[in-house]
Amino acid sequence: MKKFLLIFLLAITLLPATTFAFEPKDDVLSFVTSHQYTAEATCVIFGKYCVVGVRTKGILLKSDSQKYFESLKQGILQIDDNIRQVYITNDLQEVLLIKDVSKKMDEGMSNMQIFQYVKQKYPKAIDKILSSANI
């Protein structure tokens, strides 16, 4: 899953700077936050990728967690036909990274600037993702 996040971040830098996140972001956030186990959510949609960071509440069992993530994934895939890959995480560091990327995209920062910002602010996160992806 961390490999997907790396691919997503690299895709941001490779796509033309004129490509922006499209409108289903609000629909995805509405869907995710309406779930009973979601305390807070953030989302970035770029091309065919949807990356969602969540803070959960009330999940006690691993089986409930797996069902929660799977139901979110299936629901997000139904929101827009353009979304082909969904990555959902509740890892705090990854959620913060997703929030920052979303904020920078909303500010109109270029793809390369976002990548450089993430690389500078979260160097250990990038290293962690790269090492887990065996690249």
Side-chain angles (χ1 to χ4, degrees), residues 9-62:
L9 291 172
L10 292 175
I12 287 176
T13 63
L14 298 176
L15 292 174
T18 56
T19 305
F20 296 102
F22 52 94
E23 293 305 314
K25 177 180 177 180
D26 293 333
D27 294 337
V28 169
L29 285 175
S30 177
F31 170 74
V32 173
T33 56
S34 70
H35 199 286
Q36 68 177 357
Y37 293 135
T38 304
E40 182 183 354
T42 188
C43 171
V44 173
I45 297 176
F46 201 84
K48 66 179 182 177
Y49 303 101
C50 179
V51 179
V52 180
V54 294
R55 284 187 43 231
T56 59
K57 63 180 180 184
I59 297 178
L60 301 176
L61 302 173
K62 186 175 182 177

Side-chain angles (χ1 to χ4, degrees), residues 93 96 100 115-125:
Q93 191 170 22
L96 293 174
D100 273 355
F115 181 76
Q116 292 299 328
Y117 171 80
V118 169
K119 188 175 170 183
Q120 180 181 7
K121 186 164 182 182
Y122 300 100
K124 291 181 182 178

